[in-house]
Amino acid sequence: MAIFLFTDFGSSDIYAGQVRAALLQYAPRQSVIDLLHDAAAFNVRAAAHLLAALFNRLPPGSVALAVVDPGVGGPREPLAVQADGRWLVGPDNGLLSVAASRARKFKPYAIGWRPKELARSFHGRDLFAPVAAMLARGVRKAARLRSKEFALNFGMSDVSEVIYVDHYGNVITGLRAGSLAPKRILRAGGREIPHARVFSEAPQAGLFWYENSIGLVEIAANSASAQRVLGIAVGDPIG
């Protein structure tokens, strides 16, 4: 099984590499693939909706190790969720709940396994990575899973707000494109934004929205930064 990483650790910091090192120790034969290490820091709900869109495209049998965990070291439990033949591993703070809720079938479990040494501030490396490795290797019993319910469940509904901004300045929303008619005019940053199918259909630097490659509504500007034009950020509403 491949292990896919989704975190807010940052691509240029020391944390993602340490998680990969732990995975190499516990699952040396499994592939480890980076989905994203620049999810919006501390914003669990935005990350949950982005993770759900990405998780939907992962191959059967894979494990998604997801960490956006501002409450690390607190009372929230570590969680593993089986969803449509794949696994999610991370904190029980709502991060895994949207992906799970959109699955045809899912089951959450509390993780009973603990390492001999557990840094209070780095469960991603010391707890979640080893458990993800166990599941990827097919040794589920070692994780000591027990059935539980989500402590926080955001549900399967969309959110009408910005959940991510890429390095081009394209603004990804928590709206699934299939829920909007192409004639719909969106509003963001005090501007009205029409639909276009692809970038080349919009005028130079013109704003438009379209269905991106993971099925979400994305606001863009042809060869320009939509975020800069609109002056919006993660968490801002989309009308």
Side-chain angles (χ1 to χ4, degrees):
M1 292 186 187
I3 302 170
F4 293 84
L5 303 180
F6 178 96
T7 78
D8 64 347
F9 292 162
S11 300
S12 59
D13 274 326
I14 64 174
Y15 310 111
Q18 292 182 71
V19 172
R20 292 179 66 88
L23 290 169
L24 183 62
Q25 177 183 353
Y26 284 92
R29 297 183 180 179
Q30 267 62 43
S31 299
V32 179
I33 299 166
D34 297 304
L35 280 177
L36 179 67
H37 291 300
D38 294 295
F42 318 124
N43 194 325
V44 177
R45 188 170 75 156
H49 283 268
L50 184 55
L51 173 63
L54 294 169
F55 183 73
N56 187 50
R57 303 183 69 85
L58 300 187
S62 57
V63 180
L65 170 53
V67 188
V68 177
D69 194 16
V72 62
R76 65 96 189 96
E77 286 193 273
L79 193 68
V81 183
Q82 195 169 31
D84 289 347
R86 293 164 287 181
W87 285 97
L88 290 150
V89 177
D92 188 9
N93 62 358
L95 179 62
L96 313 182
S97 67
V98 180
S101 296
R102 292 180 183 174
R104 292 182 299 274
K105 184 178 180 181
F106 72 91
K107 180 67 177 177
Y109 299 90
I111 297 169
W113 179 86
R114 294 294 184 275
K116 292 181 179 179
E117 296 183 3
L118 176 61
R120 286 189 294 269
S121 62
F122 205 173
H123 289 189
R125 178 193 66 192
D126 296 342
L127 178 53
F128 298 136
V131 169
M134 293 171 193
L135 297 175
R137 288 166 43 220
V139 288
R140 171 177 167 174
K141 286 186 178 180
R144 301 176 189 171
L145 304 181
R146 58 177 175 81
S147 297
K148 76 178 300 290
E149 299 298 325
F150 284 111
L152 176 61
N153 190 344
F154 295 131
M156 64 183 299
S157 298
D158 295 354
V159 289
S160 301
E161 61 186 52
V162 180
I163 63 170
Y164 185 72
V165 180
D166 70 19
H167 78 278
Y168 296 108
N170 298 328
V171 175
I172 299 178
T173 78
L175 296 168
R176 285 171 287 182
S179 66
L180 272 64
K183 293 182 179 180
R184 172 77 176 270
I185 301 295
L186 295 182
R187 291 172 177 80
R191 301 279 293 271
E192 292 190 342
I193 304 164
H195 174 263
R197 189 175 55 86
V198 291
F199 283 71
S200 60
E201 289 184 354
Q204 189 75 10
L207 288 168
F208 65 100
W209 72 266
Y210 74 111
E211 180 177 356
N212 69 11
S213 61
I214 54 175
L216 297 177
V217 169
E218 184 167 318
I219 298 172
N222 188 4
S223 302
S225 168
Q227 181 192 33
R228 188 173 298 117
V229 173
L230 294 169
I232 59 177
V234 171
D236 285 349
I238 303 297

